[in-house]
Amino acid sequence: MTPRLLSSVLAVLAGTVAPLSAADRPGFNYDESKVLPYTLPNPLVSADGTPVRDAAAWRTQRRPELLEIFSREMFGRTPGGRPAGMHWAVTSVDRAALGGKAVRKEITVWFTEKKDGPQMHLLVYQPPGGAGAHAPWPAFLGLNYFGNNCVNADPGITLTTARVDQRDDFGVVDHHATERTRGVQAQRWNVETVVARGYATATVCYDELCEDRSEGLAKDVAALFGTRATEERKPDEWGALGIWAWGLSRALDVLQSDPEIDGKRVAVHGHSRLGKAALWASAQDERFALVISNDSGCGGAALSKRNFGETVERINASFPFWFARAFRAYNAREDALPFDQHELLALIAPRPLHVASAEGDAWADPRGEFLALKAAEPVYALFGKKGLGVAAWPAVNHPALGDALAYHVRTGKHDITPDDWAQYLDFADRVMR
Ligand code: GTR
């Protein structure tokens, strides 16, 4: 590798170079004055026109109906829950990790009885002290992009053996985690800060569940469930986002078995495509106690019917294996969608939900993320929740932390920063303590 190539690899991995900015994607709308009028479906009216008047009707009728619609039309159906043969083992524990500031655990999870079948590796940090005064610890759980080794420079983290795409400006340069990938996204995870605030933090590499490419649907969890190839799938068969969401639930299964973790207070979080996965995971799995969407954008928290930034057609073309094939029916036809992303957010009600945007992330439509959250408020109101407490899109760096809903837009680009974490931790202190 040339020195120039190496330095740009390191820059991308370190997050100091944005892979693409809005300006690099011409032909999409970034002009608020060019947003066309659109009508959002009312989450509180069933498909047959019946109004949803109370929380009981939401739970028993409308929620299952919306889950069915999102499964059939967008993410694909989740073919099963925890496999019968799934088992796990703690492979390492260091009670004096990070210079004595944390306990580090590594857990291997096999999805079948076999040790050579599909598996994932869960990394957990928690405050020191074991089952002391504050354990069991509430926890944050999220998928990572470059192997568990990317979340902290800790030399004790086992390098992932999954195929991880390391890209630079010229394309993919490596498919393996190496020492140079250790800690490359540490600023996105803030392990020391999170642990110092009294939370555990847990992660799995998303590529272990489903590689982030079309071929991923032939391997690992996809193969376990007999998923067909990307273009051969039945219209409602799942894709990578469904598999990543499924993996989050399996990680939660494991956390809930750990007496040092409070399995009833596990927050799920994710950035960008992993934010989309976190939302779909928590829409389906009500065990997640708090949900954090960081810059999840199109197919995540942003409204699809609002023509701003990334479109349904574009996301289906760029990533044909992320969603169900059925979702392509709405390419350039967002007006025909019988749902929108505010209803995905509403599926999380009444659990706390924090949506965050970045000012420089027009591709993800920050305002569209805020508007989706506002449009989910009536469902939260059924449960007596007041909502965000603001009527208009808040100014940059002025978070709105409500009783169950939170939103902020910060300065900067598409990323997760210590400033985002400061808001997430404050909101978690409020709703998970
Ligand atoms: C982009 C994609 C976005 C978002 C992002 C990411 O290429 O268009 O929807 O998922 O990737 O995950 O970083």
Side-chain angles (χ1 to χ4, degrees):
M1 193 184 298
T2 64
R4 179 164 167 254
L5 197 55
L6 178 61
S7 77
S8 67
V9 173
L10 295 175
V12 170
L13 287 174
T16 51
V17 168
L20 273 181
S21 70
D24 295 316
R25 293 161 165 143
F28 296 90
N29 181 41
Y30 306 109
D31 181 347
E32 200 57 48
S33 73
K34 296 203 176 112
V35 172
L36 302 170
Y38 59 90
T39 308
L40 292 183
N42 186 340
L44 294 183
V45 177
S46 291
D48 68 359
T50 314
V52 178
R53 297 194 199 283
D54 52 33
W58 170 263
R59 273 193 193 291
T60 59
Q61 291 154 35
R62 184 62 171 149
R63 191 173 187 284
E65 180 178 70
L66 280 170
L67 273 176
E68 163 64 17
I69 293 172
F70 277 103
S71 301
R72 193 182 61 220
E73 306 289 334
M74 186 176 183
F75 292 105
R77 295 183 191 284
T78 302
R82 177 167 154 181
M86 176 170 139
H87 63 291
W88 55 90
V90 177
T91 54
S92 77
V93 179
D94 181 351
R95 297 213 162 258
L98 305 182
K101 295 198 188 95
V103 174
R104 178 192 355 93
K105 300 176 190 168
E106 292 186 311
I107 300 148
T108 300
V109 183
W110 296 274
F111 293 127
T112 64
E113 305 76 13
K114 298 191 300 187
K115 298 283 193 245
D116 57 355
Q119 53 192 268
M120 67 177 179
H121 298 88
L122 182 66
L123 169 69
V124 182
Y125 286 99
Q126 68 189 43
H134 302 291
W137 306 103
F140 288 89
L141 168 66
L143 299 174
N144 68 72
Y145 286 99
F146 297 115
N148 293 345
N149 43 272
C150 78
V151 308
N152 193 279
D154 181 353
I157 304 173
T158 305
L159 292 179
T160 185
T161 55
R163 178 193 159 107
V164 284
D165 273 358
Q166 294 180 31
R167 294 171 184 276
D168 75 351
D169 299 350
F170 309 98
V172 176
V173 294
D174 204 336
H175 291 307
H176 298 282
T178 58
E179 280 302 324
R180 74 164 188 249
T181 63
R182 207 178 271 290
V184 285
Q185 295 209 317
Q187 86 289 350
R188 284 191 172 184
W189 288 83
N190 291 272
V191 171
E192 287 86 349
T193 311
V194 175
V195 168
R197 290 277 290 256
Y199 294 91
T201 182
T203 188
V204 169
C205 177
Y206 79 143
D207 286 300
E208 293 188 356
L209 298 160
C210 180
E211 289 174 4
D212 194 357
R213 57 185 186 133
S214 204
E215 292 85 339
L217 294 188
K219 307 172 64 175
D220 304 314
V221 176
L224 176 64
F225 285 101
T227 309
R228 291 169 181 77
T230 299
E231 297 306 322
E232 273 135 45
R233 288 173 300 160
K234 289 188 283 176
D236 63 352
E237 218 167 321
W238 68 353
L241 282 164
I243 296 171
W244 299 330
W246 180 91
L248 285 165
S249 286
R250 302 292 73 79
L252 181 56
D253 295 339
V254 177
L255 292 175
Q256 289 196 326
S257 76
D258 183 338
E260 294 182 332
I261 302 289
D262 184 346
K264 292 199 156 46
R265 288 188 296 159
V266 176
V268 64
H269 63 97
H271 170 62
S272 205
R273 66 198 69 184
L274 298 181
K276 307 181 213 296
L279 290 171
W280 180 227
S282 50
Q284 298 174 88
D285 188 340
E286 295 191 272
R287 295 174 302 163
F288 289 110
L290 162 64
V291 184
I292 295 167
S293 155
N294 193 94
D295 306 357
S296 61
C298 179
L303 294 173
S304 299
K305 291 177 187 284
R306 210 180 101 86
N307 62 308
F308 195 101
E310 189 170 22
T311 62
V312 169
E313 181 171 36
R314 167 64 189 239
I315 203 167
N316 279 326
S318 308
F319 307 102
F321 55 96
W322 277 7
F323 297 93
R325 279 181 47 231
F327 194 41
R328 302 178 195 174
Y330 303 101
N331 286 351
R333 289 181 67 237
E334 283 91 346
D335 56 328
L337 280 166
F339 60 91
D340 208 332
Q341 299 308 102
H342 62 308
E343 292 172 315
L344 180 66
L345 303 184
L347 285 169
I348 295 162
R351 293 165 291 155
L353 166 63
H354 192 144
V355 171
S357 313
E359 188 186 24
D361 189 17
W363 185 241
D365 188 10
R367 188 194 287 264
E369 295 188 314
F370 169 74
L371 292 172
L373 195 55
K374 280 302 282 181
E377 276 185 335
V379 178
Y380 277 80
L382 283 186
F383 293 88
K385 301 292 179 189
K386 292 194 193 71
L388 279 172
V390 295
W393 193 27
V396 173
N397 299 330
H398 282 76
L401 306 187
D403 58 351
L405 296 175
Y407 176 84
H408 72 263
V409 52
R410 59 154 173 80
T411 40
K413 64 181 177 68
H414 187 68
D415 196 2
I416 322 167
T417 68
D419 286 343
D420 291 314
W421 271 105
Q423 303 309 327
Y424 299 146
L425 288 164
D426 283 353
F427 189 54
D429 283 354
R430 184 185 285 214
V431 297
M432 283 215 303
R433 289 291 182 189

